[in-house]
Amino acid sequence: MKIDFNGYNDGANAATELVNTSPRVRSRGEALPDVAALTEFFAALGIDRTVGADDLQPVHALRDEVRAALESDEDDLARRATAFVARAGRGPGLHRDVDGHWRWHVETSPDATADDALAVLIGTGLLGALYTLGHDRFRHCTAPDCAGMFVDTSRAGRRRYCMPEVCGNRLKVAKHRARQRDRT
Ligand SMILES: [Zn+2]
């Protein structure tokens, strides 16, 4: 099976997305509780693979491993991400798309499990982000009371939140409440 992507951003962003589905981060609890949610998650990442109930626990376990990688020091991160790639990888490689532009791909063996396929994509992304952007792009969310983490793949490198649409808003609400408190 071939997983097609534009560059390390895709895998690095997949790492961010995966880590922040955890009940440890989400106030509403587990964001990957069942096969439907997992199917949607894989489709959103562009991994064309059928997932089943047997894949849930291994993906949750991979999530803990990816979190540990994001929290690791530079050398340990490189070691862990390399191990992710090795789980089912035959790549990475380059091929041309229909317009003749280069695209990355990683290949997994046909019998690779869903979590192995995800590990290969994420591992490739983490290595690319570490090599190109540096270790200070692996960060904790700065929103109050948020346990989220992210890989900042933005050009400027000024990202602050694990889920900008949720955590940026959370901060605004907290500031608003503080202002109201000051007034009364
Ligand atoms: Zn956050």
Side-chain angles (χ1 to χ4, degrees):
M1 150 185 198
K2 201 176 192 180
I3 306 167
D4 199 4
F5 57 99
N6 285 314
Y8 62 81
N9 280 13
D10 290 359
N13 294 334
T16 299
E17 298 280 331
L18 178 64
V19 163
N20 297 320
T21 60
S22 166
R24 181 174 169 187
V25 179
R26 300 261 174 169
S27 48
R28 284 184 202 143
E30 177 63 70
L32 296 175
D34 50 32
V35 175
L38 195 61
T39 300
E40 209 174 296
F41 185 77
F42 271 66
L45 295 178
I47 304 177
D48 182 20
R49 194 185 194 292
T50 312
V51 294
D54 290 351
D55 293 316
L56 275 169
Q57 194 280 324
V59 169
H60 291 169
L62 174 64
R63 180 171 66 195
D64 291 342
E65 289 178 56
V66 173
R67 167 108 196 179
L70 296 191
E71 288 181 319
S72 296
D73 68 36
E74 208 165 338
D75 292 66
D76 201 21
L77 170 61
R79 260 192 303 274
R80 287 170 188 262
T82 301
F84 289 149
V85 175
R87 271 171 67 159
R90 292 182 185 163
L94 291 177
H95 65 277
R96 290 196 188 274
D97 67 12
V98 285
D99 299 318
H101 299 127
W102 289 116
R103 282 179 67 82
W104 284 100
H105 63 262
V106 287
E107 281 191 60
T108 65
S109 57
D111 57 346
T113 57
D115 56 299
D116 282 341
L118 186 55
V120 175
L121 176 67
I122 286 175
T124 310
L126 297 183
L127 290 177
L130 179 60
Y131 183 86
T132 312
L133 301 173
H135 189 243
D136 69 336
R137 294 295 194 99
F138 295 75
R139 303 201 199 115
H140 289 273
C141 184
T142 60
D145 302 324
C146 182
M149 291 193 73
F150 60 91
V151 186
D152 183 357
T153 56
S154 69
R155 204 170 283 257
R158 294 196 201 101
R159 179 167 169 178
R160 303 180 57 202
Y161 308 118
C162 64
M163 293 172 281
E165 66 293 350
V166 179
C167 298
N169 198 41
R170 207 185 284 184
L171 188 66
K172 265 185 237 153
V173 171
K175 276 188 181 157
H176 179 73
R177 285 211 191 107
R179 271 198 303 273
Q180 283 187 324
R181 250 198 324 271
D182 292 345
R183 246 178 249 144
T184 52

